[in-house]
Amino acid sequence: MTCLAGVIGDPIAQSRSPRLHGHWLRRYEIDGHYVPLHVTRDMLSQTLETLPKLGFQGLNVTIPHKEAVFRLANDVTERAREVEAANTLTFRDGRILADNTDGIGFIANLRQQAPVWQVNAPALVLGAGGAARGIIAALLNEGVPRVTIVNRTAARAETLADLFDRRVRTMPWEMASPALADHGLLVNTTSLGMTGQPPLVLDLAALHADTTVSDIVYTPLMTPLLKDAQDRGATVVEGLGMLLHQAVPGFTEWFGVVPDVDDELRAAVLA
Ligand code: ATR
C-alpha cells in the first residue's frame, strides 16, 4: 500500500521538507508520497481529523502550529512535553502521537559536524524562542553543566530559565562577548544573520579556538557568525544539518526505513 505523509504550515511554500523526504523516498525505492499542505489555524483540527482517514501515516508540523498540535494530540513524548510543542505527528489506531525532534536533530548535527564538542563545557545560547527551548532542553538532557541564555527581550529569557532548572541562567546581550571565554559552545537560535534579516552583531574576540559555534540559520549556509568563528579557528556547525536530522524519526516511523543524513541529501535539499 502507498504510504502517505506530509508537512503542514502557514506559509508552507518555503518548507524544504518535501525535497528532503522526497529524496529519501526515491533513494530507498519506497512506494510513498510526502506532500506540503497549506493549513491555516482555523483548519488545523479538522485537518488532523481528516488526514488519518485518507491514509496519512503522519505529519511534520511547522510555523505556526507547533504549540497547537501539541495540545490537540492524544499522546505526547517526553521530549515534546518538555518544550510544550511538537514538530512530528504519527497517526495510529485512531490516535495522534506528538513528538518533538528539534532538540535531538540539533544534537545529532552537532555530534556529526563537531566531534570535538565536549558535553562537559557550559553553553551560551542566543535567543529565547521556540527553537531555543528545544535546543536548551536537549543540551541539558545531554548533560551540559550550565546553559546561559542571552536574549533581546530579557523577560523572555527569564521565562525560559524558570522553565528549566538551576543549570540555566540569563545574561544581558552586552555581556555575551566577554562571556564567550567561559563557554565551550555558542548557539545562535535567533533569525539574526539570515538572508533578509538584520545581521548578528557579536564581537568574537574572546572566543577560544576550541569553542564550537553553531547556527540554526542555514540561508546562507555559512552565516557571517560562522565565518567569523571559523576565521578564529573555532569549529563551526551549520544549521542545515539540524533540519535534516530532525526529519529522521518521522521518516522512520511512517515509511519503515532509518534514512541516512549525508552529502547526497544535503545536495538534494539545497538544489
Ligand atoms: P523560533 O520559534 O524560531 O525560535 P521565535 O519564537 O519568534 O522563533 O523566536 C525568535 C528569537 O529570535 C527570539 O529570541 C527573538 O528575540 P526576542 O525574544 O527579543 O523577540 C530573536 N530575534 C528575532 N529578531 C531579532 C532581532 N532583530 N534582534 C534581536 N533578537 C531577535
Side-chain angles (χ1 to χ4, degrees):
M1 196 186 72
T2 306
C3 288
L4 283 175
V7 56
I8 56 169
D10 178 20
I12 198 61
Q14 83 295 346
S15 174
R16 304 261 175 172
S17 293
R19 262 190 228 182
L20 201 170
H21 287 270
H23 171 80
W24 280 336
L25 287 170
R26 284 189 299 281
R27 168 152 178 196
Y28 299 108
E29 297 177 359
I30 292 169
D31 180 14
H33 293 289
Y34 183 99
V35 291
L37 296 164
H38 181 215
V39 174
T40 54
R41 282 183 203 268
D42 57 324
M43 286 161 55
L44 182 63
S45 62
Q46 202 197 333
T47 302
L48 296 188
E49 258 176 50
T50 309
L51 291 181
K53 294 177 190 152
L54 293 177
F56 274 72
Q57 311 291 315
L59 292 173
N60 285 123
V61 181
T62 186
I63 287 170
H65 302 312
K66 288 186 177 187
E67 283 89 14
V69 297
F70 170 80
R71 291 192 298 272
L72 289 168
N74 303 107
D75 306 297
V76 300
T77 61
E78 184 54 35
R79 58 197 184 205
R81 192 188 309 279
E82 268 178 336
V83 294
E84 297 171 354
N87 68 342
T88 306
L89 303 178
T90 298
F91 304 136
R92 190 162 297 151
D93 305 326
R95 297 181 72 80
I96 302 174
L97 170 68
D99 192 7
N100 194 317
T101 65
D102 281 336
I104 54 161
F106 173 79
I107 298 290
N109 185 41
L110 187 60
R111 290 206 180 283
Q112 190 176 48
Q113 291 192 51
V116 295
W117 173 62
Q118 302 273 345
V119 72
N120 56 10
L124 186 67
V125 173
L126 305 176
R133 200 180 266 232
I135 288 170
I136 292 167
L139 287 171
L140 294 174
N141 287 340
E142 285 297 298
V144 167
R146 198 179 71 236
V147 174
T148 305
I149 307 175
V150 174
N151 195 47
R152 173 180 58 180
T153 311
R156 241 179 139 194
E158 295 300 337
T159 304
L160 213 52
D162 289 346
L163 186 80
F164 296 108
D165 60 19
R166 266 177 278 152
R167 284 190 290 160
V168 179
R169 62 175 188 174
T170 65
M171 183 181 276
W173 193 277
E174 315 80 77
M175 284 172 64
S177 288
L180 286 172
D182 308 322
H183 293 83
L185 176 68
L186 169 67
V187 187
N188 174 41
T189 75
T190 76
S191 50
L192 297 172
M194 189 187 291
T195 306
Q197 297 294 314
L200 199 168
V201 180
L202 186 69
D203 183 352
L204 299 187
L207 197 73
H208 293 296
D210 57 3
T211 304
T212 298
V213 179
S214 171
D215 206 329
I216 68 162
V217 172
Y218 59 84
T219 48
L221 209 50
M222 198 63 178
T223 61
L225 171 73
L226 295 182
K227 200 163 179 328
D228 189 1
Q230 192 171 55
D231 289 346
R232 293 169 193 273
T235 303
V236 300
V237 178
E238 45 81 356
L240 180 66
M242 177 179 167
L243 173 79
L244 308 183
H245 283 283
Q246 63 78 33
V248 171
F251 190 89
T252 307
E253 274 295 320
W254 312 321
F255 300 114
V257 172
V258 184
D260 279 331
V261 173
D262 54 18
D263 288 342
E264 220 180 286
L265 177 68
R266 271 170 216 280
V269 170
L270 289 173

